């Protein structure tokens, strides 16, 4: 009898083993049912921290893809593989070399997000990210942690270079194009950082406090457009709090708005950390904790056992994880080559980059003619900055500098000047390597090499033997810190100013020209010096082919057609958010100076009280009030009539365009179709980005004098050639958010459609009528504890 029981038991066990389902696309329910609680929790937590490799946080994924930022955990019993998550957004970030092989794994350094936005060309962005996605797939990753689409709320945010624009529509359209391109390869994205991660200072704890209108119209709008127009596989919740709650623990943000209102169907993962409130994150709909630690698994298991996490919430998140996993190349067993088309992508990047370069000034000097010998100044001319620092930095095989670019375009770079810079750069790099203070921290990477002092007599001597001077001015920034409103960052240093003035004084005497190239990650002050040189080319940090692309533009082998995705103000303090940003924060890192998790624990608070200390939370560090409301960038400057250095949407080219035949049709449901004909009236070929701004009828909600509602770019037009551009705007896009009714509202009445070459250069305008008002009520959620006192603009 006993033997019979044992045999029966063994048989049952065997059946159970054999009955174990293996994950397939069509058996997710069955697999979910077969999972133990521990297994479910395991799937919701990534496989852990590794070492800080090459300047960013990377998990220990040496066995899968070396240097990738994270992985999910495998459950072999159920046929669930690990998946690999690697950083972006300027290309896939992985380790370029691996032990035991001579093969290299460099990735293409694509133009950063700001450059992509400066192209105003969504098909081009999609083409570039289609190429980028091929590298993601061929290097064995499943998800690229990109794009970054927080708003350029303030120009000093250290990660603005990764982000697109001060305008949410441009942001959302660019992000959607980016996502479509990557995902066309059958790999996913993780669009980040959702939401209001608009500063790096104390980014883990800072509380972004925002009124509902600014939140809906500005902070969230880009994400909304991106979700609706591109179906991202995943979204990354940010580190910060939003109106008092960590975004990763906000049900309103991750479920009510993201899924219920916008229809997001993918997974949400945390940004790389380990916050204590794992239970809250699970309930909120944050499916995956990254990079993941065992204590998070325990918290989930304990939470279900002690009733603080409903098991149904765990199941819901696990189901979404399984749905994600079955989409991945790793699940399909894709045999990646580790040999993406790097040569093809380099060519594509070189050709595309000029579309993101913005010509700010050109007093008849560009493209260069009759010039052979170049005096090339500025550290960045030789040590070019391709992209920002931190997790957004791509390990690329090379970076083309301006000197190389000029040479391949047939110009001669003065050898004496090049030699001096070579020595200066080598010396500063050695000093930095020998001296810890030469680095601004692990995440920030190396500081920009300080400019070399160049004497006027040297400049004069070189002037005699060269035809033209080019000066590159460099700035860099990155994850973990914000920029400062001070010399050497926002403004030029004394020695940069002196060099610029000396060069111009010296060269102008002999009728020779001086060109400034700006190799910068974000906006700097330009109003005080922009008229001194003869041309200013804003190159941003445009990726590995930057030096080639710049020289192609300077020499006329390519033409610039970029336009600014943000305003360049005259002064930093002209910006409405200037005082509501840590513009002068002198803390040494991004952690809360109060320590801990940003809250004073009860003991410390009691101790402080006993000693009579009152420890206040520090504005702009522990919390940031978005007092500018919706008045970000051109919305403010245009409406307040405040002078700017360069307006949003501005950029010169090598030709001119005339706009004619503006027309607007409105369908019965209120959809607007606007068209305008653009003619190349100059002597060179060119492309023109046309911006459709719309002014709403007076009365009702206070609105900016104009808001970008659509844009389009022509194909390359030969001199004399025309193209009619047609843009569509649905009524919802015309709507503003009414806090009193918690609804998007589009007023009836007379609107004005303005076709602009920039926000301040409106070339044609027509009015149209919306017959009846429309409204879209949404959940009255995510309110600040008390309303933020906003500035009044009109
Ligand atoms: C950054 C993310 C990045 C992640 C993984 C975080 O510190 O904020 O943008 O994707 O690290 O490297």
């Amino acid at each position: 009898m006993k033997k019979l029981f044992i045999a029966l038991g063994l048989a049952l066990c065997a059946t159970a083993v054999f009955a174990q389902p293996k994950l397939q696309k069509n058996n997710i329910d069955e697999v979910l049912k077969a999972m133990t609680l521990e297994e479910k929790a395991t799937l919701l937590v990534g496989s852990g921290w590794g070492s800080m490799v090459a300047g960013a946080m990377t998990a220990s994924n040496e066995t899968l893809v070396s240097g990738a930022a994270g992985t999910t955990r495998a459950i072999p019993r159920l046929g669930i593989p690990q998946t690999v998550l690697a950083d972006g957004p300027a290309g896939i970030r992985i380790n370029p070399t691996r032990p035991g092989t001579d093969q290299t794994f460099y990735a293409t350094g694509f133009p950063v997000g700001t450059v992509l936005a400066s192209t105003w060309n969504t098909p081009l962005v999609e083409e570039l990210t289609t190429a980028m996605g091929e590298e993601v797939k061929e290097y064995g990753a499943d998800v690229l942690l990109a794009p970054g689409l927080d708003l350029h709320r303030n120009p000093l945010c250290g990660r603005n270079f990764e982000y697109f624009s001060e305008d949410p529509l441009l942001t959302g359209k660019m992000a959607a194009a980016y996502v479509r391109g990557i995902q066309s390869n059958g790999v996913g994205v993780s669009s980040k950082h959702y939401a209001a991660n608009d500063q790096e200072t104390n980014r883990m704890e800072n509380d972004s406090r925002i009124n509902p209108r600014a939140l809906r119209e500005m902070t969230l709008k880009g994400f909304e457009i991106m979700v609706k127009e591109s179906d991202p596989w995943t979204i990354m919740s940010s580190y910060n709090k939003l109106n008092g709650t960590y975004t990763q623990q906000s049900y309103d943000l991750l479920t009510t708005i993201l899924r219920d209102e916008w229809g997001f169907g993918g997974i949400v993962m945390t940004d790389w950390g380990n916050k204590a409130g794992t239970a809250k994150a699970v309930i909120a709909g944050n499916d995956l904790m990254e990079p993941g630690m065992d204590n998070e698994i325990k918290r989930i298991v304990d939470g279900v056992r002690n009733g603080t996490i409903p098991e149904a919430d765990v199941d819901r998140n696990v189901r979404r994880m399984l749905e994600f996993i079955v989409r991945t190349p790793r699940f399909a067993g894709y045999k990646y080559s580790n040999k993406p088309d790097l040569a093809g992508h380099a060519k594509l990047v070189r050709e595309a980059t000029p579309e993101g370069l913005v010509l700010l000034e050109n007093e008849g000097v560009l493209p260069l003619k009759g010039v052979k010998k170049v005096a090339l100044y500025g550290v960045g001319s030789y040590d070019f900055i391709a992209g920002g620092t931190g997790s957004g930095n791509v390990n690329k095989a090379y970076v083309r500098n301006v000197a190389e670019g000029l040479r391949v375009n047939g110009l001669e770079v003065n050898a004496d000047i090049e030699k001096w810079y070579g020595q200066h750069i080598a010396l500063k790099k050695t000093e930095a390597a020998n001296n810890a203070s030469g680095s601004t921290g692990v995440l920030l990477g190396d500081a920009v090499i300080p400019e070399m002092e160049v004497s006027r007599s040297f400049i004069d001597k070189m002037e005699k033997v060269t035809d033209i001077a080019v000066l590159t001015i460099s700035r860099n920034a990155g994850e973990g810190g914000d920029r400062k409103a001070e010399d050497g960052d926002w403004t030029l240093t004394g020695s940069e100013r002196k060099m610029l003035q000396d060069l111009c004084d010296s060269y102008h005497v002999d009728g020779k020209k001086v060109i400034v190239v700006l190799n910068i990650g974000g906006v700097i002050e330009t109003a005080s010096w922009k008229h001194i040189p003869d041309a200013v080319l804003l190159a941003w940090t445009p990726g590995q082919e930057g030096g080639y692309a710049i020289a192609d533009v300077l020499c006329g082998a390519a033409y610039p057609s970029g336009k600014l995705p943000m305003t360049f103000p005259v002064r930093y303090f002209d910006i409405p958010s200037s005082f509501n940003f840590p513009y002068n924060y002198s803390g040494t890192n991004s952690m809360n100076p109060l320590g801990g998790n940003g809250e004073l624990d009860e003991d410390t608070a009691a101790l402080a009280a006993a000693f009579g200390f009152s420890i206040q939370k520090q504005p702009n560090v522990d919390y940031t009030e978005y007092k500018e409301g919706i008045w970000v960038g051109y919305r403010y400057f245009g409406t307040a009539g405040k002078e700017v250095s360069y307006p949003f949407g501005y950029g010169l080219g090598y030709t001119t365009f005339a706009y004619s035949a503006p027309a607007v049709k409105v369908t019965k449901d209120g959809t607007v179709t606007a068209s305008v004909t653009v003619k190349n009236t100059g002597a060179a070929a060119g492309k023109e980005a046309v911006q459709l701004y719309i002014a709403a009828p007076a009365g009702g909600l206070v609105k900016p004098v104009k808001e970008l509602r659509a844009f389009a770019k022509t194909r390359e037009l030969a001199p004399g050639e025309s193209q009619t551009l047609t843009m569509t705007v649905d009524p919802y896009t015309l709507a503003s958010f009414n806090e009193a009714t918690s609804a998007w509202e589009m007023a009836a009445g007379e609107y004005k459609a303005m076709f602009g070459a920039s926000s301040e250069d409106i070339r044609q305008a027509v009015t149209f009528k919306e017959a009846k008002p429309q409204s879209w009520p949404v959940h009255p959620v995510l309110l600040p504890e008390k309303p933020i006192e906003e500035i009044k603009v009109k």
Side-chain angles (χ1 to χ4, degrees):
M1 193 63 175
K2 202 173 160 194
K3 272 188 192 155
L4 184 68
F5 275 128
I6 292 171
L8 209 57
L10 283 175
L12 278 173
C13 283
T15 323
V17 169
F18 285 121
Q20 267 170 23
K22 294 278 186 213
L23 182 64
Q24 286 161 28
K25 284 196 167 154
N26 59 6
N27 72 348
I28 286 174
D29 279 341
E30 206 187 328
V31 170
L32 186 54
K33 232 187 253 155
M35 291 173 90
T36 64
L37 176 59
E38 284 75 7
E39 285 172 335
K40 290 176 186 173
T42 297
L43 206 60
L44 300 185
V45 176
S47 44
W49 288 102
S51 50
M52 305 279 276
V53 180
M57 303 168 179
T58 55
S60 50
N61 300 306
E62 301 300 325
T63 52
L64 285 177
V65 177
S66 173
T71 48
T72 59
R73 300 194 193 217
I75 305 179
R77 171 180 97 81
L78 299 168
I80 301 174
Q82 274 192 298
T83 62
V84 175
L85 322 169
D87 263 313
I92 177 172
R93 174 187 175 76
I94 53 175
N95 285 338
T97 54
R98 294 177 191 170
T101 172
D102 289 340
Q103 196 188 333
T104 56
F105 304 83
Y106 287 106
T108 303
F110 285 83
V112 298
T114 296
V115 177
L116 298 182
S118 300
T119 70
W120 294 71
N121 186 342
T122 47
L124 182 73
V125 170
E126 204 167 321
E127 193 184 342
L128 282 165
T129 56
T130 299
M132 196 189 292
E134 192 247 354
E135 296 188 22
V136 175
K137 190 168 185 186
E138 292 309 322
Y139 275 139
D142 299 286
V143 169
L144 186 73
L145 304 171
L149 64 151
D150 297 279
L151 207 64
H152 289 196
R153 162 183 183 253
N154 182 292
L156 296 180
C157 170
R159 292 185 89 171
N160 274 358
F161 71 94
E162 295 185 64
Y163 307 149
F164 296 110
S165 168
E166 71 182 23
D167 181 82
L169 179 107
L170 183 58
T171 295
K173 298 281 177 187
M174 284 294 152
Y178 185 115
V179 173
R180 287 192 300 263
I182 299 285
Q183 294 194 167
S184 67
N185 291 279
V187 293
V189 299
S190 193
S191 303
K192 64 193 188 184
H193 309 88
Y194 185 63
N197 186 180
D198 301 322
Q199 68 181 59
E200 287 298 286
T201 304
N202 194 28
R203 64 182 175 149
M204 307 276 177
E205 303 297 338
N206 177 266
D207 182 16
S208 298
R209 298 180 181 169
I210 316 175
N211 283 335
R213 180 172 179 190
L215 181 67
R216 294 277 184 167
E217 286 187 24
M218 306 302 294
T219 312
L220 298 184
K221 196 62 181 181
F223 284 97
E224 179 182 358
I225 294 170
M226 185 265 312
V227 165
K228 290 179 175 171
E229 296 187 7
S230 68
D231 192 18
W233 286 16
T234 93
I235 283 189
M236 188 189 292
S237 54
S238 52
Y239 288 129
N240 54 287
K241 292 176 189 163
L242 172 52
N243 289 337
T245 306
Y246 288 115
T247 60
Q248 59 168 257
Q249 296 166 15
S250 170
Y251 184 89
D252 292 338
L253 186 69
L254 305 189
T255 298
T256 311
I257 293 182
L258 182 63
R259 300 175 197 277
D260 299 349
E261 291 184 9
W262 302 345
F264 175 67
I267 61 161
V268 175
M269 68 179 76
T270 60
D271 198 347
W272 269 228
N274 177 353
K275 294 202 190 285
T278 310
K280 287 188 201 151
V282 171
I283 295 167
N286 194 116
D287 310 290
L288 176 63
M289 313 300 147
E290 280 293 334
M293 289 180 75
D294 291 347
N295 66 3
E296 291 169 301
I297 299 180
K298 184 167 182 318
R299 286 180 205 143
I300 297 173
V301 171
D302 291 351
V304 172
R305 295 225 166 101
N306 68 27
T308 47
I309 308 178
E311 188 156 7
D313 287 359
V314 170
D315 286 353
R316 174 199 64 191
N317 296 2
V318 170
R319 179 189 305 281
R320 291 198 289 239
M321 281 300 295
L322 293 172
E323 285 166 358
F324 154 70
I325 290 165
V326 298
R327 296 173 100 170
T328 60
R330 191 151 264 93
F331 177 76
Y334 180 70
K335 300 265 174 294
Y336 51 96
S337 64
N338 273 329
K339 289 195 176 77
D341 181 12
L342 297 181
H345 298 169
K347 187 166 171 286
L348 173 67
V349 167
R350 179 175 176 181
E351 283 164 9
T353 303
E355 285 216 30
L357 305 191
V358 187
L359 185 59
L360 297 176
E361 301 287 337
N362 187 15
E363 293 301 320
V365 54
L366 296 177
L368 297 174
K369 269 178 232 81
V371 165
K372 185 78 190 148
K373 297 178 175 182
V374 184
L376 185 58
Y377 289 91
V379 166
S381 294
Y382 304 94
D383 195 37
F384 190 75
I385 303 170
T389 58
S391 61
N393 178 30
V394 176
N395 294 310
K396 47 221 165 271
Y398 60 82
V399 173
R400 301 292 183 207
N401 66 30
V402 185
E404 291 172 287
L406 291 172
R407 275 195 285 269
V408 298
N409 274 278
L411 299 194
E412 206 179 283
V413 174
N414 182 279
D416 288 334
I417 304 175
E418 183 164 16
K419 190 180 91 195
W420 284 116
Y421 274 102
Q423 287 175 356
H424 172 76
I425 291 165
L427 178 74
K428 292 292 164 192
K429 285 197 169 167
T430 315
E431 273 174 22
N434 296 337
N435 173 3
S437 68
S439 163
T440 46
V442 179
L443 281 177
L444 283 179
D446 291 339
V448 175
I449 293 176
E451 263 316 325
M452 185 170 80
E453 299 284 338
V454 182
S455 70
R456 175 66 194 263
S457 57
F458 180 79
I459 288 176
D460 286 342
K461 203 168 126 200
M462 292 300 119
E463 187 270 328
K464 295 290 171 234
V465 294
T466 51
D467 305 323
I468 195 160
V470 175
L471 168 63
T472 302
I473 291 173
S474 308
R475 295 285 184 274
N476 206 1
E479 185 181 352
D482 291 309
R483 296 175 47 215
K484 303 238 167 25
E486 63 186 26
D487 281 0
D489 200 338
W490 174 253
T491 37
L492 299 192
T493 60
S495 71
E496 284 170 334
R497 259 173 222 279
K498 182 170 179 305
M499 176 143 62
L500 174 63
Q501 192 65 59
D502 283 353
L503 283 170
C504 291
D505 289 348
S506 181
Y507 279 72
H508 287 171
V509 168
D510 285 331
K512 296 179 187 175
K513 308 287 188 189
V514 177
I515 297 163
V516 169
V517 172
L518 292 177
N519 179 203
I520 56 181
V523 177
I524 63 168
E525 187 276 330
T526 51
S528 70
W529 58 265
K530 64 183 179 179
H531 294 305
I532 302 176
D534 303 282
V536 180
L537 179 66
L538 171 57
W540 299 118
T541 50
Q544 67 177 39
E545 303 297 318
Y548 275 5
I550 289 166
D552 290 348
V553 163
L554 297 182
C555 298
Y559 54 85
S561 64
K563 292 194 175 182
L564 295 177
M566 79 297 277
T567 309
F568 273 54
V570 173
R571 287 166 294 266
Y572 171 74
F573 290 103
D574 290 347
I575 303 159
S577 65
S578 49
F579 288 105
N580 298 112
F581 188 87
Y583 67 93
N584 59 357
Y585 179 62
S586 57
T588 49
N589 60 28
S590 60
M591 296 302 163
N592 191 318
L594 289 177
N597 62 2
E599 303 291 343
L600 278 186
D601 62 59
E602 281 173 19
D603 291 348
T604 320
L607 199 66
F611 282 104
F613 291 122
S614 97
I615 299 183
Q616 299 289 327
K617 284 196 172 186
Q618 216 183 319
N620 303 331
V621 177
D622 297 306
Y623 64 91
T624 300
E625 293 185 319
Y626 285 38
K627 293 191 179 184
E628 73 282 2
I630 61 164
W631 305 104
V632 175
Y634 73 90
R635 283 174 166 74
Y636 167 73
F637 289 104
T639 307
K642 203 168 183 75
E643 192 197 348
V644 297
S645 186
Y646 297 111
F648 175 79
Y650 167 87
L652 302 171
Y654 289 165
T655 186
T656 49
F657 295 95
Y659 295 26
S660 64
V664 171
K665 278 192 223 121
V666 186
T667 60
K668 244 187 168 170
D669 74 347
T671 299
V672 176
T673 309
S675 62
V676 71
T677 300
V678 178
K679 182 174 182 186
N680 183 345
T681 48
K687 293 186 183 181
E688 173 74 340
V690 175
Q691 301 145 44
L692 177 65
Y693 296 94
I694 295 191
L701 294 174
V702 173
K703 289 209 189 195
V705 290
K706 57 174 110 59
E707 289 180 280
L708 185 77
R709 297 307 197 197
F711 60 91
K713 195 167 188 177
T714 65
R715 61 173 185 272
E716 179 173 292
L717 297 178
E721 206 184 341
S722 300
Q723 184 183 354
T724 298
L725 295 174
T726 302
M727 294 166 265
T728 312
V729 184
D730 61 21
Y732 182 63
T733 302
L734 288 178
S736 298
F737 189 75
N738 187 344
E739 294 184 350
T741 55
S742 188
W744 288 95
E745 292 177 356
M746 189 212 62
E750 189 170 274
Y751 286 75
K752 190 163 156 197
M754 291 166 271
F755 300 90
S758 83
S759 59
E760 292 300 313
D761 183 6
I762 302 303
R763 301 288 182 83
Q764 292 288 349
V766 265
T767 57
F768 64 92
K769 283 213 169 61
E770 287 288 352
K772 37 180 198 313
Q774 299 191 41
S775 83
W776 296 263
V778 295
H779 302 86
V781 292
L782 281 180
L783 310 183
E785 199 178 306
K786 51 179 195 292
I788 307 304
E789 227 176 278
E790 291 182 359
I791 59 163
K792 297 252 176 311
V793 176
K794 68 176 206 185

